[in-house]
Amino acid sequence: MASVIADHPPQELAAELAGLLRVDWRAVWPGVPADEAGRAEWCAGFGWRPLWSQSGLWVRTAQGGRLHLAASPGPGRPVTRASYDVWKAAAGAASDGEAVLAVALDRYAAHLAGVSAALGAPGWEGAWDSPDFPEPPAPGRWGDVRELRSPYRLAQWSYANPLAPVVVLALEHQEGGYAGGGTISLTFHGPADPKALVGPGWLL
C-alpha cells in the first residue's frame, strides 16, 4: 500500500513561490555562515528559521514550508540550489507503482498550472522520453535520465541574468516497492549548481 508523505495543495505552493520570488538570491548563493549565531541572523534576513544541517541547511520559511538549501560539504561553500517538496509518496509494493504515478501526474499538472500562472509559460516542459529533454551537463551518478526515466516530467524557467535562479518543477518517479514512489519538487538552481539542466551552472 502506498503512503503519502507530503501533499501540499496548489495554493500552498503559490504562497511558497511568492516568498521565494522575493528572496535576494545573490545573497544566498555565496553560502551559509558556519557559526550558529551568524547562521540564525543570515536566515532571519530572508524570513527563514534554521532547522538542521544535512548536505547544506534545512530551513523553515515564513510561509511555514520546509526548504533545503543544498551545498557541498564544508563551511562557507556556495549554496547550489533550494528545493521544496510539493508532493511525495512511497510505494509499499511494486504493484503500487502505476497508482502512485497516476496520482503524481495529476498533482504535477495542477502545480504546473499554478506555477505557470505566476511565472508565465515555461521555457521547456515535457517528459523523460521527449527527444529534446534537457540533459544535465554530465550523466548522473546512477545513470542518465533516459535510463532511469527520472525526472519523469519537468518544466523549466530560466532568465538572462546569470545570478537569477533556474526554476524547475520536476516529477521524480521510481519503480518498485521499497525504494519506489514519487516526488514533485520546486527547485531554484543557483549559478554554482553542476546539476542545473539548462542555465548558468558550472562545476564547483
Side-chain angles (χ1 to χ4, degrees):
M1 182 177 177
S3 56
V4 176
I5 299 164
D7 189 4
H8 300 289
Q11 58 268 30
E12 278 189 33
L13 177 59
E16 290 292 344
L17 177 59
L20 293 173
L21 290 175
R22 291 193 294 269
V23 168
D24 179 5
W25 292 99
R26 295 169 300 175
V28 174
W29 304 138
V32 181
D35 63 291
E36 188 175 344
R39 193 160 53 243
E41 184 179 352
W42 183 85
C43 286
F46 304 110
W48 300 334
R49 180 168 56 85
L51 295 175
W52 67 83
S53 296
Q54 182 185 359
S55 301
L57 180 68
W58 290 82
V59 301
R60 182 74 65 193
T61 68
Q63 290 71 37
R66 205 165 61 187
L67 190 68
H68 181 215
L69 306 173
S72 296
R77 297 306 302 271
V79 171
T80 56
R81 60 192 176 277
S83 298
Y84 171 73
D85 282 348
V86 182
W87 180 88
K88 189 168 188 173
S95 58
D96 296 333
E98 286 189 18
V100 169
L101 180 58
V103 174
L105 287 168
D106 180 69
R107 296 292 193 277
Y108 175 85
H111 289 299
L112 175 60
V115 176
S116 297
L119 300 182
W124 193 92
E125 197 280 325
W128 67 274
D129 55 355
S130 301
D132 58 342
F133 195 97
E135 294 285 352
R141 182 177 177 187
W142 305 114
D144 63 21
V145 168
R146 297 188 194 287
E147 267 185 83
L148 302 174
R149 302 186 180 188
S150 191
Y152 194 87
R153 288 197 72 89
L154 179 142
Q156 180 177 276
W157 294 260
S158 56
Y159 306 93
N161 183 337
L163 291 180
V166 175
V167 183
V168 171
L169 181 71
L171 163 59
E172 306 275 348
H173 175 63
Q174 296 82 39
E175 298 287 346
Y178 178 71
T183 303
I184 298 171
S185 59
L186 180 72
T187 303
F188 280 48
H189 293 269
D193 191 355
K195 294 183 181 177
L197 293 173
V198 174
W202 58 81
L203 293 175
L204 291 172

